[in-house]
Amino acid sequence: MLKVLKSGLFTSVQDIGRYGYLNKGVPVAGYMDGFSAKKVNQLLDNNIDAAVLEITMTGPTLFFEEETYISMGGALLSATLNNEPVNNYEVIKVEKGDILSYGKLEKGFRNYLAVKGGFKTPMVLGSRSFFSSVTKKNHLVDGDELEYDACSLFEPKISKIIVDSFLDEKELKVTKGPEFKNLSDRQLEMLFGKKFSISNENNRMAYKLEEKIVGLTNSMITSATLPGTVQLTPSGKLIILMKDGQTTGGYPRILQLSDRAISVLAQKKYGDEVKFKLN
Amino acid sequence: MNSYPISIRPFGIHAILLEWPGRVDVAILEDILQFTQYLKECCLKGEEWEIVPAYNSVTLIYREEPIDFDQLKIKLLNWYQEDIKVVKREKILWRLPVCYDEDFGIDLKEISEKSGKSVDEIVKLHTTHIYNVFGIGFLPGFTYLGGVPKALEFDRRAEPRSKVVKGSVGLAGKQTGIYPQDSPGGWNIIGNCSVPMFDPKAKEPCFISVGDQVQFYKITKAEYNLHKIESEVGIYKLEKIILDA
């Protein structure tokens, strides 16, 4: 068991996501930053669908009741194991009784913690990813316990990787969304000509951007939306749907973020800037 | 099939969007559903596609790998042109119980005043019409029901409520629907449906599919409470009518 001594701001269990229920209105969910989450699983030689912890901004304090191996990645949150600093993207041996805690946010927004074999929390509709209307909870609270298999010996293929400036990236690579053709030259100029900052309305469902462009007023018949879909509202506000985002929508879908761009955006917080780049 | 001009466009690298003419029309929805059934049964067999129909469109999503758009577009157009015989889709009409008691129908009074119709007349209108499920989205198990009579078309509330309770039956424009869980919402609430619309523990977490039909019937508060108990212990029986295709 992994005992949650302090839960942090918003810590949840996430895996690759929930497949097969989009036509019933169930979002994909899963880790927001797949780029980082996949790397921490790879380091431990975990399956692609192994569940990790997604740790947002203020990290938790965690007590390991069994020995195992862990790896962390994504945001830099000054993590320590028994008060000794530990690094991202390294395989770390953890003994029974060890305490992992997180400190100050230095860079990025979400950190991923993988454990050898993945967390064995309940599977609901084919995924362990927390999502409020499907799973019992949407984030961990103090005192929660998460199951994992003890592991005393593991020979990692690679014990450490260097990840480049991913957290510093500002450019969101996009392709044209279904309603891109409805944009005027002026709208295009605004969309690609300026930087946008992340508003305080950002969560696992969507990121709203602060600056407006000219809105699109012609109404549209409700149709499917995806994680990474950029919607333009009549007021000119841009909304970028994320992993818990609704599966259908009625606002024009002007751009679609690449998988990598979704990961880049997932590491941004209130006030950070991004720029769209058409691929 | 093949009776409509359809447009096919990329939607990111993992999805492809097929659009029929931009109308809310049961015949169009039916054509989409026949085609997607054909795709599932004959063309995309064994592959992990997610198929999301809504009103005049269907989105095909293949999350494993990027889609070769140009190639798939040609294939889809050919498949759509094929003179195919698909097994007629089973048409299902769900009869759903709604309690229109004023404790639940919190906006009934207001819309009754606005429309000049009595509460009973509104309830009667709402229960005599049959609605088509044009889409499922917004929340798990939230159905977009079309076919609302003109007299029941009301604008969304000026200020959305921060909490609309689970089961609430609402009206907004040409649509009616049931909130499958507590959520914020701006629809005019006229009653509450005692049947859970989404249950992650059930074998079929959402019993309704796009293309089905729904008719509401009025129940008393006592019947509502009984249904709730029956649902909790798992003995409530849904009223499902299979219509001739």
Side-chain angles (χ1 to χ4, degrees):
Chain A
M1 288 285 191
L2 179 76
K3 193 148 190 207
V4 180
L5 302 179
K6 270 194 274 178
S7 62
L9 176 72
F10 194 94
T11 303
S12 67
V13 175
Q14 299 294 340
D15 60 17
I16 195 166
R18 197 161 270 118
Y19 285 57
Y21 298 93
L22 287 179
N23 62 347
K24 301 295 185 182
V26 181
V28 187
Y31 29 70
M32 293 276 278
D33 169 6
F35 176 83
S36 303
K38 282 178 188 156
K39 283 201 160 53
V40 295
N41 266 333
Q42 272 165 11
L43 272 165
L44 297 175
D45 216 1
N46 282 346
N47 285 340
I48 189 153
D49 57 354
V52 299
L53 284 191
E54 180 174 277
I55 291 153
T56 314
M57 198 162 87
T58 308
T61 305
L62 305 165
F63 180 81
F64 290 86
E65 293 182 353
E66 270 91 28
E67 62 181 324
T68 185
Y69 292 80
I70 59 167
S71 67
M72 285 172 284
L76 293 168
L77 281 170
S78 341
T80 58
L81 187 67
N82 302 326
N83 293 319
E84 290 294 319
V86 281
N87 297 323
N88 270 355
Y89 303 112
E90 281 184 20
V91 176
I92 302 159
K93 177 79 205 282
V94 166
E95 303 295 338
K96 197 170 171 169
D98 280 359
I99 291 178
L100 179 72
S101 42
Y102 286 83
K104 200 173 150 274
L105 175 70
E106 288 167 16
K107 200 184 262 191
F109 196 42
R110 292 168 218 270
N111 183 272
Y112 292 89
L113 171 69
V115 59
K116 178 68 191 149
F119 291 102
K120 300 285 174 356
T121 51
M123 189 86 112
V124 187
L125 304 182
S127 166
R128 299 182 207 274
S129 293
F130 281 13
F131 176 70
S132 53
S133 51
V134 173
T135 55
K136 278 209 184 82
K137 43 178 74 178
N138 72 343
H139 64 279
L140 296 173
V141 296
D142 296 358
D144 276 348
E145 289 189 329
L146 309 177
E147 213 171 296
Y148 65 90
D149 294 334
C151 173
S152 55
L153 191 66
F154 164 60
E155 295 278 349
K157 285 184 192 137
I158 312 160
S159 60
K160 188 179 189 170
I161 49 171
I162 308 288
V163 173
D164 58 14
S165 60
F166 172 71
L167 296 173
D168 296 321
E169 274 182 38
K170 283 190 165 62
E171 207 169 77
L172 302 177
K173 291 229 166 70
V174 294
T175 51
K176 295 173 183 177
E179 282 74 49
F180 182 87
K181 58 183 182 343
N182 300 350
L183 297 171
S184 67
D185 288 347
R186 179 156 159 67
Q187 283 168 319
L188 290 173
E189 206 179 290
M190 294 172 98
L191 196 55
F192 296 110
K194 63 181 186 183
K195 284 183 186 146
F196 291 92
S197 45
I198 310 298
S199 80
N200 58 2
E201 288 177 85
N202 68 83
N203 54 39
R204 286 188 44 88
M205 286 172 76
Y207 268 57
K208 285 190 191 164
L209 302 180
E210 203 74 69
E211 297 80 2
K212 290 182 181 181
I213 68 166
V214 176
L216 275 176
T217 47
N218 40 345
S219 69
M220 178 196 134
I221 299 175
T222 295
S223 180
T225 52
L226 303 170
T229 298
V230 183
Q231 296 180 310
L232 176 58
T233 66
S235 73
K237 273 234 171 210
L238 295 163
I239 301 171
I240 308 175
L241 297 177
M242 295 300 268
K243 295 293 183 83
D244 285 354
Q246 56 189 72
T247 56
T248 58
Y251 291 134
R253 302 154 293 185
I254 57 168
L255 300 172
Q256 180 64 36
L257 266 60
S258 69
D259 291 350
R260 186 181 172 99
I262 294 174
S263 291
V264 169
L265 185 62
Q267 290 296 352
K268 300 292 178 241
K269 58 183 185 305
Y270 174 50
D272 289 349
E273 286 184 330
V274 291
K275 209 171 180 312
F276 294 112
K277 173 86 188 346
L278 196 59
N279 242 16
Chain B
M1 283 194 306
N2 67 37
S3 41
Y4 296 95
I6 62 170
S7 94
I8 301 181
R9 273 179 290 159
F11 189 179
I13 58 164
H14 295 294
I16 190 162
L17 173 72
L18 286 72
E19 280 181 322
W20 273 248
R23 301 195 294 273
V24 175
D25 180 338
V26 180
I28 285 179
L29 183 69
E30 211 42 55
D31 193 62
I32 291 173
L33 294 172
Q34 291 285 350
F35 183 48
T36 51
Q37 191 176 342
Y38 176 63
L39 290 178
K40 262 189 271 185
E41 283 174 9
C42 306
C43 314
L44 306 173
K45 244 178 160 171
E47 296 202 55
E48 298 292 316
W49 288 90
E50 294 218 39
I51 299 179
V52 188
Y55 292 96
N56 68 320
S57 73
V58 61
T59 304
L60 310 177
I61 302 145
Y62 191 67
R63 274 188 282 181
E64 306 288 322
E65 282 162 46
I67 293 172
D68 182 338
F69 173 75
D70 295 328
Q71 211 190 357
L72 184 61
K73 180 180 174 175
I74 294 167
K75 280 191 191 168
L76 285 166
L77 282 172
N78 285 337
W79 286 328
Y80 188 66
Q81 301 303 329
E82 268 168 32
D83 187 20
I84 46 174
K85 287 188 188 73
V86 283
V87 187
K88 276 269 179 193
R89 229 173 38 80
E90 197 175 65
K91 264 220 162 247
I92 297 171
L93 169 68
W94 302 95
R95 296 196 72 239
L96 300 178
V98 175
C99 179
Y100 295 92
D101 193 276
E102 59 185 16
D103 288 353
F104 295 128
I106 47 179
D107 296 324
L108 263 178
K109 222 173 143 188
E110 195 182 316
I111 62 171
S112 153
E113 281 162 15
K114 262 193 221 163
S115 62
K117 287 195 162 38
S118 72
V119 166
D120 282 346
E121 283 172 307
I122 287 168
V123 171
K124 194 154 183 234
L125 270 170
H126 195 244
T127 51
T128 46
H129 281 77
I130 288 178
Y131 306 104
N132 289 285
V133 182
F134 279 102
I136 300 181
F138 169 53
L139 293 169
F142 184 90
T143 51
Y144 291 95
L145 302 175
V148 172
K150 257 243 138 352
L152 289 187
E153 285 182 20
F154 300 100
D155 289 340
R156 282 174 172 74
R157 296 179 59 77
E159 277 298 317
R161 291 188 169 92
S162 56
K163 186 183 162 186
V164 172
V165 300
K166 176 181 172 178
S168 289
V169 176
L171 289 169
K174 293 180 191 304
Q175 299 180 113
T176 180
I178 309 150
Y179 284 80
Q181 63 184 80
D182 290 356
S183 98
W187 290 28
N188 303 287
I189 306 304
I190 59 168
N192 195 290
C193 174
S194 53
V195 180
M197 299 305 290
F198 188 83
D199 177 5
K201 293 187 293 297
K203 212 174 98 203
E204 188 73 66
C206 171
F207 58 88
I208 291 189
S209 297
V210 175
D212 288 353
Q213 291 186 322
V214 169
Q215 184 173 24
F216 296 111
Y217 65 95
K218 186 183 168 180
I219 55 168
T220 63
K221 210 163 178 190
E223 287 169 311
Y224 177 92
N225 291 332
L226 179 66
H227 287 176
K228 281 279 173 194
I229 296 165
E230 286 175 340
S231 294
E232 268 163 40
V233 296
I235 56 163
Y236 177 78
K237 236 178 135 29
L238 266 166
E239 267 193 68
K240 170 181 174 179
I241 298 166
I242 297 172
L243 306 169
D244 285 337

